[in-house]
Amino acid sequence: MTESLSVRIRAMAHQQGAIILAHYYQPPEIQAVADYVGDSLQLAREARQAEAEVIVSCGVSFMAETAKILNPGKLVVNPAPEAGCPMADMVDAAGLKALRAQHPGAVVVSYVNTTAEVKAESDICCTSSNALQVINSIPQDTPIIFAPDRNLGANVAAWSGRSLILWDGCCPIHDRLTPEHIKAMQERYPEALVAVHPECRPEVVALADKTTSTAGILKYIDEMEAEFIIGTEQGLLNTAAVHSPHRRCYPAREDFICPDMKKITPQRLLLSLERLQPTVEIDEAVRQRAYQALDCMLQLP
């Protein structure tokens, strides 16, 4: 990205009274012009407390929806509305409602990587940062439905000692990481620590030195004097290079890339700022119910 384009984006954001929120998986040139870069939990909190009249969500569609759910009085702009989340597409509101009917009394915990309609059928949301905290907040004798990520659900079940009713979904990007990938990288870099995202398979998590969210991985990289094999989307390595330039990090496999996270370009971002389009709109009845599930999560200490 040219310096002039970067300057134009920042100037237009100022002119429009906009705040730019970007996920760690976004391209480095998008992260560079954002007001705030974070993981899903951090971005939800920033969107909720944003005072700017315009929130520009640089991520995938459920993140833009979450911003609108939490701060409905603001204009929320999504520069790439076609940037979806395959995991979010694996669960639908009708199916989740039917599963709840099969388990009367169960608490429905939905990963934030879901549509507004699915959140509206949920009791509480979670992110990879706080999934264990959310599960532990639910009484031990209460059955729990966890949707849609079977890997995150299985990992949290193991950590909490709980038996969860798991929806059969996954992040196809993280799910493709296998123990063989990890072992091959460990042979190449035997001194490296392995840090993976909890959306990875339990058998991958079993080989890791650390399993945590994207924000947690960045913290781990900064704290440990080592080199690292990183088991999550490669965009995080760009962030790590900025946050901890003294650390060497290697992707756990080649092409560890979410194509949807790469659909926002500087040119598209500038055009969205100029036009304040495309905007995010959510049915108010759905939004209010989805808000309750998100608010329950954000109220946890």
Side-chain angles (χ1 to χ4, degrees):
M1 178 171 60
T2 64
E3 183 178 354
S4 61
L5 183 53
S6 174
V7 170
R8 288 171 64 193
I9 290 171
R10 290 307 317 159
M12 185 56 62
H14 178 73
Q15 178 180 322
Q16 300 284 35
I19 184 174
I20 301 173
L21 306 180
H23 192 272
Y24 288 130
Y25 295 159
Q26 285 291 292
E29 57 269 26
I30 298 300
Q31 294 189 36
V33 295
D35 294 284
Y36 189 87
V37 181
D39 64 10
S40 294
L41 180 60
Q42 293 167 326
L43 294 179
R45 287 175 171 155
E46 286 298 316
R48 188 183 205 184
Q49 66 189 21
E51 296 181 357
E53 289 304 310
V54 179
I55 301 171
V56 182
S57 176
C58 293
V60 291
S61 55
F62 77 79
M63 296 177 181
E65 279 192 344
T66 298
K68 186 65 175 180
I69 292 167
L70 292 171
N71 209 337
K74 307 300 184 182
L75 185 70
V76 177
V77 175
N78 181 4
E82 79 282 8
C85 172
M87 183 202 300
D89 294 338
M90 293 180 188
V91 60
D92 63 277
L96 187 58
K97 190 174 181 178
L99 183 61
R100 182 202 284 271
Q102 296 173 24
H103 300 277
V107 170
V108 176
V109 178
S110 283
Y111 197 21
V112 74
N113 299 42
T114 49
T115 64
E117 290 77 13
V118 167
K119 290 181 177 71
E121 294 297 333
S122 308
D123 295 298
I124 186 170
C125 291
C126 74
T127 72
S128 57
S129 295
N130 65 10
L132 180 59
Q133 182 187 15
V134 168
I135 295 302
N136 286 338
S137 73
I138 299 169
Q140 283 283 336
D141 59 350
T142 302
I144 298 172
I145 295 170
F146 190 93
D149 188 355
R150 63 175 182 263
N151 289 331
L152 177 60
N155 290 323
V156 173
W159 298 331
S160 65
R162 302 285 291 268
S163 178
L164 307 184
I165 302 159
L166 302 179
W167 189 275
D168 190 19
C170 68
C171 167
I173 308 302
H174 285 100
D175 193 58
R176 286 201 295 266
L177 183 64
T178 66
E180 289 69 32
H181 289 122
I182 298 295
K183 291 172 183 177
M185 290 299 291
Q186 286 176 317
E187 288 183 5
R188 291 179 63 182
Y189 305 103
E191 301 300 318
L193 296 175
V194 178
V196 305
H197 195 280
E199 290 176 14
C200 293
R201 302 180 189 183
E203 56 266 35
V204 169
V205 166
L207 297 175
D209 297 288
K210 185 73 171 181
T211 302
T212 184
S213 66
T214 47
I217 291 174
L218 288 173
K219 185 172 183 289
Y220 185 61
I221 291 170
D222 189 58
E223 290 176 347
M224 303 297 290
E225 293 187 6
E227 55 184 8
F228 301 87
I229 297 165
I230 304 300
T232 195
E233 212 272 352
Q234 286 179 211
L236 190 69
L237 274 70
N238 299 321
T239 316
V242 173
H243 284 229
S244 305
H246 49 298
R247 305 287 193 238
R248 299 188 69 179
C249 299
Y250 314 102
R253 66 172 174 82
E254 293 183 3
D255 299 323
F256 210 148
I257 297 172
C258 172
D260 284 287
M261 279 288 186
K262 310 307 181 189
K263 290 184 177 179
I264 297 177
T265 64
Q267 292 79 8
R268 292 189 73 172
L269 175 55
L270 178 59
L271 187 62
S272 287
L273 281 165
E274 290 172 343
R275 298 179 177 179
L276 296 182
Q277 291 284 342
T279 59
V280 178
E281 302 297 336
I282 301 172
D283 176 82
E284 182 58 16
V286 170
R287 190 202 68 79
Q288 289 182 12
R289 292 167 62 208
Y291 177 87
Q292 293 300 318
L294 284 166
D295 185 58
C296 283
M297 173 187 77
L298 293 172
Q299 289 295 332
L300 292 176

